[in-house]
Amino acid sequence: MVAILSLMVVMGFMMLGEWVSTRSRAYVPSVFITALLFLVGFWTIVPKNIVPAASFGTAFIQITQAVLLVHMGTLMDLKLLLKQWRAVVIALSGVVGTVVLTMGIGRLLFDWHTIVASVSPLTGGLVAAFLMTAGLKAQHITALVAFPVAMFVMHSMLGYPLTAWMLKRESRRLLQVRHVDVTVATADSATSATVQTTAQLPVCPLPTVPAKVKSVQPQLRHWQLPAAYDTSAFMLFKVAAVTGLAEWTAQLAHGTVNQYIICLVFGVIAHQLGFLEDAVLEKAGVFHWLMYGLLAYIFANLNIVKISMLSGILIPIVTLIVLGVLGMWIASSLLARPLGFSREMAFASALTALFGFPADYIVTHEVTEIMGSTAEEKQYLLDQMLPKMLVGGFATVSVASVIIASIFLKIL
């Protein structure tokens, strides 16, 4: 009975977040509302262990994140992924901008330990927050032990809506570009059709989507079985096999490349070879269950945040968040045009440092669902924005944040 009630509450929080996001046309992302509900719930009547009680424990998460990243690879084209080095540069520049501004101006306003305890969560989300918390405990700086997690809570509240706003602006720009391309393609086709008609040739049909918008579909399908045998279990077996190979490769690399980046790349390669279907976990019917479980596990970390913890350090947190986000905006804006990004897309890529995966995927997906009026427009927006967001998030949260946190722990 306890497990069922726990699951009901967790899913209820997820549901309300999605409803608010839909009602607000993605201006208020679902992850923002869900995080707020978990936080208020932990402050009031929700048990601290509600997430593991709902079956989303450590063992579940050890499988989920790697498997989901292999699935993300089946949503991308290999050429699109390889082009995302620009997103990595911009995302890392945002991290540099955050460090420079908070360590520069912030140092004039607050003491050294406060600055050091704040910068890591600003540049790497939850991972860096817990690394810094452990370091503060080890050095017995008890006054600031709550600071990193409180910083994560507060900047997430700003980061989710701000990222959604940037992605909506970028979506409008992309759709305008696409509509111009379609109009030009249609006009060219109409002219060609007129010439052909004059020459007594059959008229060619007008294209509805320019060729560059269409995603490249894998051509090799030697791995597929007849439909009767292509079951959900078979799909999950293949995903598990690819995930296992990716993690084995990551172990051989001894951490040189983050294991989750390798999972993503292996997912892309398996998809291109035809071994994994498009959106394989969705076809297997388990994607949403895994995604909700991963989100719930992340939000469960909010159970250590207390009201007194936030009220006592609110002013330095808000000030440093503003400085950090401003640093991201300045740095990403400077590199946007030279690297072929709009300022909105560059800033959104930099903002992934605040939360990373899976929030970057969810916010992007929600925005495309709202902004795209047809299936083709939604897919076009995803193709343009999702690879940049995912790769930017990996570069900051999975790589840069660990490096920065380890450095800052030594200079506390």
Side-chain angles (χ1 to χ4, degrees), residues 153-225:
V153 173
M154 294 298 293
H155 77 52
S156 296
M157 300 303 179
L158 172 65
Y160 295 146
L162 185 56
T163 304
W165 184 44
M166 289 295 106
L167 290 177
K168 292 191 77 169
R169 289 171 61 90
E170 175 67 2
S171 296
R172 292 192 189 96
R173 187 190 69 81
L174 288 171
L175 289 175
Q176 288 176 355
V177 171
R178 182 177 184 274
H179 291 157
V180 170
D181 288 346
V182 170
T183 302
V184 171
T186 303
D188 290 344
S189 296
T191 302
S192 176
T194 302
V195 172
Q196 289 177 356
T197 301
T198 303
Q200 302 299 316
L201 294 176
V203 177
C204 295
L206 299 180
T208 55
V209 183
K212 70 177 184 178
V213 173
K214 295 179 180 178
S215 59
V216 179
Q217 298 298 325
Q219 299 298 317
L220 302 178
R221 291 299 181 186
H222 306 305
W223 314 95
Q224 286 191 345
L225 295 178

Side-chain angles (χ1 to χ4, degrees), residues 12-275:
F13 287 169
M14 301 288 179
M15 173 195 71
L16 290 172
E18 291 177 345
W19 285 3
V20 172
S21 177
T22 301
R23 184 66 177 175
S24 67
R25 294 185 57 79
Y27 276 111
V28 183
S30 64
V31 283
F32 169 75
I33 296 299
T34 303
L36 193 60
L37 289 171
F38 269 103
L39 189 62
V40 174
F42 289 138
W43 286 346
T44 52
I45 61 173
V46 173
K48 305 290 186 183
N49 67 338
I50 190 170
V51 171
S55 79
F56 304 127
T58 304
F60 177 88
I61 297 304
Q62 287 176 345
I63 297 171
T64 299
Q65 189 156 355
V67 166
L68 280 171
L69 288 167
V70 169
H71 166 82
M72 295 303 159
T74 68
L75 305 177
M76 300 181 188
D77 178 73
L78 184 59
K79 292 180 180 178
L80 287 175
L81 186 63
L82 293 176
K83 291 178 180 178
Q84 300 315 316
W85 64 269
R86 295 177 180 85
V88 172
V89 172
I90 287 177
L92 293 179
S93 74
V95 171
V96 173
T98 295
V99 173
V100 169
L101 225 59
T102 52
M103 297 289 287
I105 298 177
R107 186 68 182 88
L108 302 175
L109 304 173
F110 307 107
D111 64 86
W112 174 250
H113 285 158
T114 298
I115 299 297
V116 173
S118 304
V119 173
S120 290
L122 269 174
T123 58
L126 193 60
V127 175
F130 278 103
L131 285 174
M132 186 56 65
T133 297
L136 291 168
K137 287 180 180 178
Q139 297 197 31
H140 306 291
I141 308 177
T142 55
L144 294 175
V145 165
F147 210 98
V149 176
M151 172 66 78
F152 169 76
V153 173
M154 294 298 293
H155 77 52
S156 296
M157 300 303 179
L158 172 65
Y160 295 146
L162 185 56
T163 304
W165 184 44
M166 289 295 106
L167 290 177
K168 292 191 77 169
R169 289 171 61 90
E170 175 67 2
S171 296
R172 292 192 189 96
R173 187 190 69 81
L174 288 171
L175 289 175
Q176 288 176 355
V177 171
R178 182 177 184 274
H179 291 157
V180 170
D181 288 346
V182 170
T183 302
V184 171
T186 303
D188 290 344
S189 296
T191 302
S192 176
T194 302
V195 172
Q196 289 177 356
T197 301
T198 303
Q200 302 299 316
L201 294 176
V203 177
C204 295
L206 299 180
T208 55
V209 183
K212 70 177 184 178
V213 173
K214 295 179 180 178
S215 59
V216 179
Q217 298 298 325
Q219 299 298 317
L220 302 178
R221 291 299 181 186
H222 306 305
W223 314 95
Q224 286 191 345
L225 295 178
Y229 299 95
D230 196 15
T231 63
S232 294
F234 179 55
M235 294 179 195
L236 290 172
F237 168 79
K238 291 191 293 182
V239 171
V242 173
T243 306
L245 182 60
E247 294 203 335
W248 177 69
T249 304
Q251 289 177 357
L252 292 180
H254 300 293
T256 305
V257 181
N258 183 270
Q259 63 171 330
Y260 296 130
I261 296 177
I262 294 178
C263 286
L264 180 70
V265 171
F266 272 51
V268 172
I269 294 172
H271 177 242
Q272 294 295 299
L273 293 176
F275 185 66

Side-chain angles (χ1 to χ4, degrees), residues 8 29 53 61 141 214 240 263 278 295 367 369-370 388-389:
M8 182 186 72
I61 297 304
I141 308 177
K214 295 179 180 178
C263 286
D278 298 336
L295 273 178
V367 169
E369 284 294 313
I370 293 296
K388 297 179 178 69
M389 294 295 288

